[in-house]
């Protein structure tokens, strides 16, 4: 049974994204869920497929038992497909995988295998459908994403600075840059909805400097705005110090230490958002169970720094932080792409 009233606009939103992804009637479509998935999104996705006349089958796997240690409630490294080799094989044979798992497959170790089989994955973030409907991607996001990726791939160095004291340098040599605009119509690719950001996965030993988080910046793993100052020191990709006397710093230190994994402190990806429909205040407007914080990653002009899994640097870890920062200057080879938190 549906746990809340079903809105037609939610079905419209899913149908729009499936059409942008050019899901065809002759394609094999798999809806991937786990027992802990948001049931309303599962129902809406299947109703949208039916509205478009698209056949599909559903694979629902048991959500893994929460391991001892830190609580994971954000889009990060998924363990949903661990030990599910037959499921992975089936997904790799599909044309389209609609990913409704709790954490999403973006950083799952099995994702490469699925994509190498030619499947394309549409990861729908574990958000309330109201958030998804409000952030339905528009075709222009693809143009913005392609432009951002081209700039990143051509650059040698990314620099990030702010009046608060942020001073970060990222070597772009050996990095992998991807644009996320909310849908995908190409085999062997993964898209994420909500979309509207560029993510650069640096090679090993590429990130150095300081990040100065101040009240109003965001910790999406904790689904809260910073209320006190936190400074992160980075050396060769790794956070070597979390400085601050408030609750924010204490929580971050305790959380990362709880994984007992050095890679939890490593850089996952850096980038910026360019979605004009993403709202800064959104994190304050929804209950934590209804928001996964993904919208704030795409907020236009934010600098997104994330710790955790980076498959391009051969690092996998369950630890993960998504930490958007406002008011930054971001430059590629001294050419500004964001100035004072505004897209150039």
């Amino acid at each position: 049974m549906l746990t809340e009233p079903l809105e037609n606009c939610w079905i419209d939103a899913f149908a729009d994204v499936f059409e942008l992804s050019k899901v065809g009637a002759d394609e094999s479509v798999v809806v991937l869920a786990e027992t802990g998935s948001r049931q309303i999104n599962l129902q809406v996705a299947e109703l949208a497929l039916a509205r478009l006349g698209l056949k599909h089958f559903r694979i629902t796997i048991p959500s893994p038992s929460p391991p001892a240690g830190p609580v994971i409630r954000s889009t990060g490294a998924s363990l949903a497909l661990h030990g599910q080799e037959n499921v992975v094989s089936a997904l790799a044979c599909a044309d389209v995988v609609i990913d409704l798992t709790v954490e999403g497959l973006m950083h799952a170790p099995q994702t490469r295998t699925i994509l190498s089989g030619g499947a394309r994955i549409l990861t729908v973030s574990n958000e309330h459908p109201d958030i998804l409907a409000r952030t339905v991607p528009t075709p222009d996001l693809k143009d913005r994403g392609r432009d951002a990726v081209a700039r990143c791939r051509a650059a040698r160095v990314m620099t990030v600075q702010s009046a608060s004291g942020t001073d970060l340098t990222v070597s772009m040599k050996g990095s992998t840059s991807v644009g996320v605009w909310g849908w995908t119509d190409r085999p062997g690719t993964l898209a994420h909805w909500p979309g509207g950001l560029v993510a650069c996965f640096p090679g090993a030993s590429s990130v150095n400097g300081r990040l100065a988080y101040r009240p109003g910046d965001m910790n999406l793993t904790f689904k809260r705005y910073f209320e006190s100052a936190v400074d992160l020191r980075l050396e060769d990709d790794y956070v070597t110090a979390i400085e601050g006397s408030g609750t924010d710093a204490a929580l971050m230190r305790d959380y990362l230490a709880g994984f007992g994994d050095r890679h939890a402190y490593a850089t996952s990806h850096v980038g910026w958002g360019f979605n004009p429909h993403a709202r800064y205040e959104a994190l304050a407007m929804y209950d934590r169970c209804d928001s996964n914080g993904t919208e704030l990653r795409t907020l236009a002009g934010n600098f997104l720094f994330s710790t955790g899994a980076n498959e391009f640097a051969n690092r996998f870890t369950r630890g993960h932080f998504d930490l958007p920062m406002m008011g930054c200057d971001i430059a590629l080879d001294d050419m500004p792409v964001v100035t004072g938190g505004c897209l150039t």
Side-chain angles (χ1 to χ4, degrees):
M1 294 180 63
L2 297 176
T3 58
E4 54 190 306
L6 181 65
E7 302 289 347
N8 280 329
C9 65
W10 300 344
I11 303 174
D12 292 341
F14 274 73
D16 287 346
V17 176
F18 296 158
E19 288 186 316
L20 282 169
S21 299
K22 298 180 181 178
V23 182
D26 59 341
E27 291 188 299
S28 171
V29 180
V30 181
V31 174
L32 175 66
E34 54 183 295
T35 51
S37 293
R38 194 181 296 272
Q39 292 301 302
I40 187 65
N41 286 350
L42 180 59
Q43 296 282 350
V44 172
E46 294 188 324
L47 287 170
L49 289 169
R51 175 182 291 183
L52 296 173
L54 299 172
K55 295 181 179 179
H56 74 282
F57 62 94
R58 183 202 302 183
I59 297 177
T60 302
I61 52 181
S63 292
S65 299
V71 178
I72 295 180
R73 300 291 292 174
S74 67
T75 301
S78 174
L79 300 179
L81 292 176
H82 275 30
Q84 298 282 0
E85 288 80 8
N86 290 338
V87 174
V88 174
S89 297
L91 297 174
C93 293
D95 294 306
V96 182
V97 176
I98 300 170
D99 171 23
L100 292 170
T101 58
V102 175
E103 292 297 321
L105 298 182
M106 182 173 290
H107 299 301
Q110 299 83 5
T111 297
R112 283 189 179 182
T113 299
I114 297 169
L115 296 177
S116 66
R120 62 188 189 274
I121 300 174
L122 174 62
T123 293
V124 181
S125 184
N126 188 36
E127 307 279 5
H128 191 282
D130 272 346
I131 298 173
L132 295 169
R134 195 165 41 74
T135 58
V136 169
T138 51
D140 64 294
L141 287 184
K142 185 173 184 178
D143 296 330
R144 298 185 189 195
R146 283 180 164 175
D147 177 69
V149 168
R151 291 189 185 193
C152 289
R153 289 178 178 174
R156 294 168 297 173
V157 177
M158 175 189 292
T159 57
V160 186
Q161 298 178 324
S162 76
S164 300
T166 288
D167 190 3
L168 194 73
T169 300
V170 181
S171 171
M172 300 296 282
K173 182 179 179 180
S175 70
T176 298
S177 299
V178 295
V180 181
W181 43 80
W183 79 91
T184 176
D185 55 10
R186 293 191 301 113
T189 59
L190 181 147
H192 200 286
W193 173 29
L197 74 150
V198 60
C200 305
F201 295 82
S205 301
S206 297
V207 184
N208 291 276
R210 175 189 179 197
L211 290 170
Y213 286 90
R214 296 297 180 262
D217 293 326
M218 293 148 279
N219 185 326
L220 300 186
T221 299
F222 294 159
K223 301 179 184 178
R224 58 183 275 165
Y225 299 93
F226 280 88
E227 298 179 355
S228 55
V230 177
D231 286 359
L232 304 183
R233 305 283 181 173
L234 285 105
E235 297 179 13
D236 292 338
D237 302 342
Y238 288 83
V239 175
T240 58
I242 302 172
E243 301 170 350
S245 58
T247 300
D248 294 289
L251 281 170
M252 293 180 72
R253 286 192 290 263
D254 183 72
Y255 187 72
L256 286 178
F259 288 100
D261 181 357
R262 180 172 179 260
H263 290 333
Y265 293 83
T267 300
S268 174
H269 53 85
V270 298
W272 67 88
F274 48 80
N275 189 334
H277 301 296
R279 299 294 305 179
Y280 173 73
E281 74 277 5
L283 203 60
M285 304 306 291
Y286 295 91
D287 292 337
R288 289 186 177 180
C289 63
D290 286 335
S291 172
N292 207 25
T294 317
E295 176 179 357
L296 278 297
R297 301 191 318 157
T298 70
L299 186 65
N302 90 84
F303 170 66
L304 178 62
F305 173 79
S306 300
T307 67
N310 180 348
E311 51 268 43
F312 301 101
N314 296 315
R315 295 192 294 255
F316 178 80
T317 177
R318 292 176 62 244
H320 185 71
F321 272 125
D322 274 329
L323 302 166
M325 176 183 286
M326 306 304 296
C328 289
D329 297 333
I330 307 173
L332 297 171
D333 293 341
D334 297 325
M335 293 293 295
V337 292
V338 173
T339 301
C342 297
L343 298 169
T344 58

